[in-house]
Amino acid sequence: MSAPERSTILGWGACVPETVVTNDDLAGLMDTSDEWIQKRSGIKERRYVDNDDGSVGLAETASRDALNRAGLSPADIDLIVCGSLSPDIDFPGNSALLQRRLAISGPMAFDVRNQCSAFLYLMAIADQYVRTGGASNVLVVGSEVHSTGIEYADRSRHVTVLFGDGAGAVVIGASPDSDTGFLASDLHSDGRYVGALCVDGPGSRRKPRVPDGWTDTDIYTYPQMDGSTVFKHAVRGMTASVETVTASAGFSKDDIDMLLPHQANLRINQLVAMGLGIDDARMANNIDRYGNTTAATIPILLAETLEEGRIKKGDLLCFTAFGAGFTWGSALLRW
Ligand code: UT7
């Protein structure tokens, strides 16, 4: 069988933990307030896991959901690609652990470490594999458990209030026709900004990797972020990337029917939309309920927007994201 002209999303799924953590709950743990968090980020609440079912547990539920919607079984998957900055264990990556849970042995599985933009990179990889005949049905998964890796203390409040747990997945395979599916992607990275958002350790340049007493004295195992630098680059990077990806496929930003941006800060997304001339009716956001779930924001948002009936056949969808690295980009898909 020859490789298809286009790949598309055949199924989608999402999973968020049941436990809701409000801004007031966090204000009981550190010096912050519901008013500050809502005003600066748009977040009202987020979900936290309440058991030891880590990012792979959430990934499994989202994946089974996506497989069901695609009408496929795990045995039909010939490539699994996963993104997570909060893997269950240090190595091997979540893709191998998820593969074990889904009882798929043999086919390719690998991980991409691109934080908030991971899902865009993963979809671009899946698209390439399908269009070059390297795989038929690719399971693409973003899953995170942040709640066990952030610090509930004043010095980390600007980071901790932003993040939540969750997972999303899509199955990417051959598009039934050449009009629908992925039309273009635009991906970037700029390693000069590693220090603006990172978790420094544990890492191989430290000996021992986790020194005694680190929790009391050292912040290096918790995320460190220069929020305003990330904010400015995110607005600029996503706006420019959406313009590039639409132009590269012969469209204009006015042709976008639904913008599905990464959920890091509602104000970032509003500025991106304003720069592009996209109104609320053409943009989806759900950060108010989940916070930033990093690699999982885009598939969770896609699943919800579809469920709400806000996407119809033939719509031009644009996904965009920005995050640590910095890495960022966009993808264009005709639904
Ligand atoms: O997915 C990609 C990863 N992350 C992002 O994209 C995040 C990008 N950055 C942001 O979203 C924003 O920069 C933040 C939400 C992190 C911060 O918002 P901001 O408007 O840039 O606030 P700021 O950092 O300039 O801080 C303003 C004030 C400071 O107090 P002073 O110096 O004015 O007295 C902070 O100490 O707000 C204080 N502050 C807080 N106050 C209450 C910082 N965090 C908090 C907090 N609660 N959680």
Side-chain angles (χ1 to χ4, degrees), residues 32 36 40 116 157-158 197 225 227 230 262 264-265 267 292:
T32 190
W36 190 95
R40 304 279 177 150
C116 298
R157 63 182 179 171
H158 63 299
L197 179 52
M225 180 174 73
V230 180
H262 171 52
N265 186 319
R267 286 192 298 138
N292 183 352

Side-chain angles (χ1 to χ4, degrees), residues 52-133:
D52 61 2
D53 213 13
S55 53
V56 175
L58 299 177
E60 181 186 358
T61 306
S63 299
R64 291 194 185 280
D65 202 10
L67 284 162
N68 281 339
R69 282 218 176 72
L72 297 172
S73 74
D76 297 314
I77 296 297
D78 48 9
L79 169 61
I80 299 173
V81 287
C82 288
S84 181
L85 61 74
S86 50
D88 269 20
I89 60 173
D90 207 23
F91 76 85
N94 273 2
S95 59
L97 305 184
L98 178 62
Q99 192 177 37
R100 180 173 65 178
R101 283 194 183 227
L102 295 173
I104 311 170
S105 50
M108 295 177 282
F110 61 88
D111 295 75
V112 163
R113 296 190 52 179
N114 273 31
Q115 302 70 240
C116 298
S117 65
F119 210 79
L120 288 175
Y121 273 77
L122 294 171
M123 289 196 297
I125 289 167
D127 172 56
Q128 300 268 350
Y129 264 99
V130 170
R131 282 192 296 109
T132 54

Side-chain angles (χ1 to χ4, degrees), residues 117-203:
S117 65
F119 210 79
L120 288 175
Y121 273 77
L122 294 171
M123 289 196 297
I125 289 167
D127 172 56
Q128 300 268 350
Y129 264 99
V130 170
R131 282 192 296 109
T132 54
S136 300
N137 296 308
V138 186
L139 180 60
V140 180
V141 189
S143 60
E144 305 286 1
V145 170
H146 284 297
S147 56
T148 54
I150 45 184
E151 188 186 31
Y152 302 92
D154 292 353
R155 66 180 181 177
S156 291
R157 63 182 179 171
H158 63 299
V159 174
T160 299
V161 299
L162 301 179
F163 291 95
D165 303 342
V170 296
V171 177
I172 292 179
S175 177
D177 55 65
S178 58
D179 297 328
T180 56
F182 285 98
L183 305 176
S185 76
D186 173 61
L187 299 172
H188 300 273
S189 182
D190 189 343
R192 286 177 300 169
Y193 296 97
V194 165
L197 179 52
C198 62
V199 177
D200 208 22

